[in-house]
Amino acid sequence: MGHLHFLLILLQPGERGTIKAKANFNVSEDVAALRKAIEGIGTTEKTLIDILTHRSSSQKQAISKAYLETTNRILVNDLKGDTQGSLEDLLVALARPLAVNDAKWLIEAIKGAGTDNSILIEILASRTNKQIKELSAAYAEETKKTLIQKLKTEVSGDFGKAILLLAEGARDESTNVNADKAREDAKALYHAGEKKLGTDESKFIEILCKRSIPHLRQTILEYKNISGKTLQKSIEKEISGDLEELLVAIVKCVMSTPAYFAEKVYKSMKGAGTDETTLTRVMVSRGEIDMLDIRAEFKKLYQNSLFKEISSDVSGSYSDSLKMICGED
């Protein structure tokens, strides 16, 4: 992917999504249609799916507000009462603001005995500073605690340090790449890992959690020149456990966030049974951002269309909704 194309994606989130704003949007018409679908005998799932997969996030917030004013009921609660299982999870998530979804998924991941670190990793490794600031605000509103405060009690060691750095949403955002500095960082990583007896994890954390994405992309290229192997391979060899998973996720997102999510979606569907929770989370969180690119990466990586894969893997209204988000490719 050329740098220019990358910058365009960086500058225009939403341009590469499949869920777009509806032209001639009429909020009262949508509210009336949703009420009819929910209040009638038997829920008309088709209407719910059609509206929630064909309106932008801001349009859906306008619908939720008008729905509350008209009915004195909360749309998300009515969706919960009227649908079930994976379809319910999907429609509820589609009706919520993206930042609220991220906050809810993090609350879920942190809740109970043991933290689901893979969800922490997926969200914090892939979101921009702006998205992290927004999800942190939503988290604080939901829980009356800051995300950082909560994470401090949940994660520890080097993994904890890296997660807390990412949760600050303070990654450098400059788009200028200085090749010499990138080479310096590549050398520092080489000397902290491959070239050293034992590994200096703190160096990996500092560079991968703080530097800008374009800078890291250059650093990854320089690293291959210096060490003869990819940075991902070195991380997999030198580091283990949750920290390895986190740093590999960062490297993958630096190279291509859509490819990272294409792999996530593929893994959620391959093998016996489908991980519908992950499938829902990815399709909803990326639908408005870069689903077109995820589709293209999916085809490139797995020689199959994501639409076809969904069709053969899940069924019913849940499948119909996912296919609406995915769009035929």
Side-chain angles (χ1 to χ4, degrees):
M1 192 191 287
H3 281 293
L4 182 65
H5 184 52
F6 170 70
L7 288 177
L8 284 174
I9 291 178
L10 206 66
L11 297 171
Q12 301 168 315
E15 296 297 311
R16 305 295 300 153
T18 45
I19 299 178
K20 294 189 182 298
K22 181 182 191 282
N24 314 319
F25 169 57
N26 182 325
V27 72
S28 48
E29 248 173 48
D30 282 349
V31 169
L34 288 170
R35 285 188 67 178
K36 196 172 161 201
I38 289 168
E39 291 165 10
I41 299 171
T43 301
T44 321
E45 287 171 353
K46 192 181 173 316
T47 306
L48 302 182
I49 294 166
D50 197 47
I51 290 176
L52 294 171
T53 57
H54 290 95
R55 306 290 182 276
S56 68
S57 202
S58 56
Q59 288 177 335
K60 283 182 278 198
Q61 293 336 295
I63 291 170
S64 295
K65 191 166 169 279
Y67 189 91
L68 178 64
E69 285 161 5
T70 320
T71 64
N72 227 359
R73 297 193 313 267
I74 292 166
L75 177 59
V76 163
N77 294 350
D78 280 1
L79 291 169
K80 281 182 190 169
D82 258 43
T83 54
Q84 53 201 15
S86 294
L87 178 67
E88 177 195 323
D89 294 341
L90 181 66
L91 294 180
V92 164
L94 282 168
R96 280 189 190 133
L98 295 177
V100 171
N101 279 328
D102 278 348
K104 295 263 190 200
W105 291 324
L106 288 172
I107 291 164
E108 246 345 87
I110 294 168
K111 199 168 83 183
T115 300
D116 185 342
N117 286 333
S118 64
I119 292 178
L120 284 189
I121 289 169
E122 177 193 308
I123 292 176
L124 294 173
S126 66
R127 304 303 192 251
T128 61
N129 286 353
K130 182 172 181 282
Q131 287 168 328
I132 289 171
K133 294 275 194 284
E134 287 166 357
L135 72 84
S136 297
Y139 185 93
E141 205 165 297
E142 290 280 330
T143 65
K144 308 292 171 251
K145 260 202 180 114
T146 74
L147 178 59
I148 301 262
Q149 275 170 337
K150 182 64 180 165
L151 287 171
K152 277 181 179 161
T153 66
E154 295 293 324
V155 291
S156 58
D158 287 324
F159 174 69
K161 273 183 215 148
I163 282 287
L164 288 167
L165 267 181
L166 293 174
E168 282 173 17
R171 182 182 287 289
D172 176 24
E173 285 186 323
S174 66
T175 50
N176 294 336
V177 178
N178 178 324
D180 292 336
K181 286 211 169 94
R183 203 168 301 118
E184 264 167 46
D185 275 349
K187 270 190 198 142
L189 290 169
Y190 183 54
H191 288 288
E194 289 285 346
K195 204 69 178 114
K196 191 177 194 293
L197 199 61
T199 305
D200 179 2
E201 280 90 356
S202 64
K203 192 44 90 182
F204 280 83
I205 293 166
E206 187 200 341
I207 291 172
L208 289 170
C209 297
K210 289 183 172 178
R211 305 288 194 266
S212 76
I213 302 294
H215 171 89
L216 285 175
R217 209 168 260 197
Q218 186 65 29
T219 303
I220 289 167
L221 290 178
E222 298 290 350
Y223 186 88
K224 182 102 192 287
N225 295 338
I226 293 167
S227 84
K229 56 164 77 159
T230 66
L231 181 57
Q232 184 180 330
K233 283 268 186 298
S234 290
I235 291 168
E236 287 164 349
K237 178 176 162 246
E238 297 290 325
I239 296 169
S240 59
D242 290 327
L243 182 62
E244 175 198 342
E245 195 190 324
L246 174 61
L247 297 179
V248 165
I250 294 171
V251 168
K252 285 179 176 176
C253 288
V254 165
M255 295 313 290
S256 166
T257 305
Y260 170 74
F261 282 111
E263 185 189 357
K264 277 257 168 203
V265 169
Y266 176 76
K267 285 186 172 159
S268 76
M269 291 189 281
K270 93 179 212 290
T274 302
D275 174 0
E276 293 182 347
T277 310
T278 298
L279 187 53
T280 295
R281 195 175 58 246
V282 174
M283 296 300 284
V284 172
S285 66
R286 311 313 293 184
E288 220 171 319
I289 296 172
D290 53 5
M291 188 54 66
L292 293 171
D293 297 316
I294 291 171
R295 260 172 27 184
E297 290 294 343
F298 190 93
K299 199 167 252 177
K300 207 156 74 185
L301 289 166
Y302 307 110
Q303 285 73 57
N304 193 9
S305 94
L306 179 53
F307 187 88
K308 282 192 187 127
E309 194 77 41
I310 290 168
S311 306
S312 64
D313 207 77
V314 288
S315 57
S317 297
Y318 176 62
S319 175
D320 293 341
S321 313
L322 291 175
K323 287 188 287 192
M324 288 281 195
I325 298 172
C326 174
E328 283 203 61
D329 53 341

